[in-house]
Structure formats: structure tokens, C-alpha cells
Amino acid sequence: MLLSQAEENYIKAIYKLTINNDKGTTTNDIAREVNTKASSVTDMLKKLKKKDVISYKPYNPISLTELGTERAIQIVRKQRLWEVFLYDKLGFKWDQVSELASELEHVQNNTLIDKLDTFLNSPTHTPHGNPIPDRYGRINNHEEVTVADLEVGQFGMIIGLKDTSSKFLQYLDKTGLNLGKTVKINQITDYDQSMEITLNMTETKNVTYQAAQNLYIKKLTR
């Protein structure tokens, strides 16, 4: 079954929105994710339903079918392998690779993708710390635990990113909130839930709630 690039983008968006949410997503959420109008989303959902890749009824939660999930994981695999290739082999910065990889992910030649995987020695994570599905579609996704979920006095290690936009990655470069760094929550502001943290047990920094929500962590005990 052939899917257009636009259809693949929608499937990937729905996968992202429902990966840790078995209740499905909404038309408005999808519209925000793909940056379009809700009316345009509705038209696309009707097309995707006909291709049996989504479960969709008006005014009901939207989710991927088994076939849709398989296709979404294939797309994610291609994008993330290209991210590694662009970063490791071509020297692009981590805030440049997502956009470029999003163009390359629509390549339909599976032999090429398998050879790319072999060439890269079957990487398990992208430069942003996100897991790469293997050739059988198996993937160990991050648990939905972020810096924002920590309480005062708790520790965590940054292991992945929910937001991989260039603006957010540039923000992380400026603040030093990179993968592998540990954070300790010193204080949470009641007004806006911004945080004062200690980074790597040495630097004290202030982090917005929005940024904290986009940093996947592994909780640590000390």
C-alpha cells in the first residue's frame, strides 16, 4: 500500500501523540502537531481510514490500527537512522538533523534502509537520545517521565528529548541541559512551575516548565 508524504506525516504525528496514550488523540491535537487547520485534518483522516491505517469516527478519539502502527514505526525508524547518519557521518549539528531527516524518511527502498542500518552498526538511539526501532519494528520507547515530574530534592539524568526542534536544541546548547547530565530539583515556583535546579552537582540554573516538560529523564536515587 502506497502512502503519500503527507499521509506518512499524519501517521507519524498520530503515533507521536498516542505512543503513551492508549485513549487516542483528537483532531485539534493533530492539527497543532502538523501545523494545519482542523478542517484539513478531518479531510486527511477520512483518507487514512479508507486505507485502514487509523481508527476514526467523528467526535471520537483517533488512533492507529495495527497496520498504521507498523507503518508509523517504519517511518520513525527511517527518520532516526538518517538523523544518526547526518550527525555522525556528515557532521551536521544536532539542531539541524531532524528537519533534513524528515525529508529523507519518505524513501521507500527498504533495502537501502537496511544497508544504512548496517553501515551505522545498528545504532539504538539518535543524537537526541530517542530510541531507534530495529528492522523488526521493535522499539523501547522512553517512559513519559520528564524533569517536570520531579519533586524538590529528587534527582534525574537527562536521557532523551520530547521536543527536537532546532530552537529547543539551541536553547539546550546555551543552557548546558544536554544528554547525560544529572539534575537535582532545588525549588519549584508556585506561580509558573519553573524550577531552580543543580546541573551535574555543580551549576545552579533556572529552567522553565515548558523546557522541563520536554526533557525525558531517568530517576536517580542518592
Side-chain angles (χ1 to χ4, degrees), residues 43-85:
D43 292 339
M44 178 61 78
L45 294 178
K46 292 176 182 178
K47 294 179 182 179
L48 295 175
K49 181 180 179 181
K50 289 181 180 179
K51 295 189 176 184
D52 195 33
V53 291
I54 66 166
S55 297
Y56 168 65
K57 291 182 181 179
Y59 311 110
N60 282 275
I62 301 144
S63 60
L64 294 173
T65 62
E66 183 175 349
L67 175 61
T69 300
E70 290 176 0
R71 292 301 295 267
I73 291 176
Q74 289 174 5
I75 298 164
V76 169
R77 169 174 161 79
K78 288 186 285 186
Q79 180 193 16
R80 294 181 178 178
L81 283 172
W82 284 120
E83 286 181 356
V84 175
F85 176 75

Side-chain angles (χ1 to χ4, degrees), residues 187-204:
Q187 183 177 339
I188 301 174
T189 304
D190 289 337
Y191 174 67
D192 59 2
Q193 299 301 298
S194 60
M195 296 177 160
E196 179 192 277
I197 68 167
T198 299
L199 187 65
N200 266 13
M201 303 303 293
T202 57
E203 301 178 79
T204 300

Side-chain angles (χ1 to χ4, degrees), residues 99-210:
E99 185 175 351
L100 289 169
S102 292
E103 299 176 19
L104 294 166
E105 72 188 22
H106 301 292
V107 171
Q108 298 298 323
N109 191 314
N110 290 328
T111 300
L112 170 62
I113 301 304
D114 286 341
K115 286 183 177 293
L116 178 63
D117 177 65
T118 300
F119 175 69
L120 296 171
N121 295 317
S122 298
T124 58
H125 290 79
T126 71
H128 313 118
N130 295 320
I132 301 173
D134 67 17
R135 67 185 62 201
Y136 304 106
R138 296 174 299 205
I139 182 171
N140 294 316
N141 285 301
H142 293 305
E143 294 184 14
E144 282 288 305
V145 181
T146 66
V147 171
D149 296 313
L150 294 177
E151 299 177 356
V152 173
Q154 290 187 318
F155 292 83
M157 177 185 290
I158 302 171
I159 59 171
L161 309 177
K162 184 181 293 188
D163 181 359
T164 57
S165 66
S166 59
K167 288 184 179 180
F168 184 59
L169 295 172
Q170 290 164 11
Y171 165 81
L172 296 182
D173 283 336
K174 289 181 180 179
T175 58
L177 290 165
N178 300 122
L179 301 182
K181 296 288 186 69
T182 59
V183 298
K184 177 189 175 185
I185 309 304
N186 301 326
Q187 183 177 339
I188 301 174
T189 304
D190 289 337
Y191 174 67
D192 59 2
Q193 299 301 298
S194 60
M195 296 177 160
E196 179 192 277
I197 68 167
T198 299
L199 187 65
N200 266 13
M201 303 303 293
T202 57
E203 301 178 79
T204 300
K205 293 182 177 291
N206 292 312
V207 179
T208 66
Y209 181 69
Q210 181 180 1

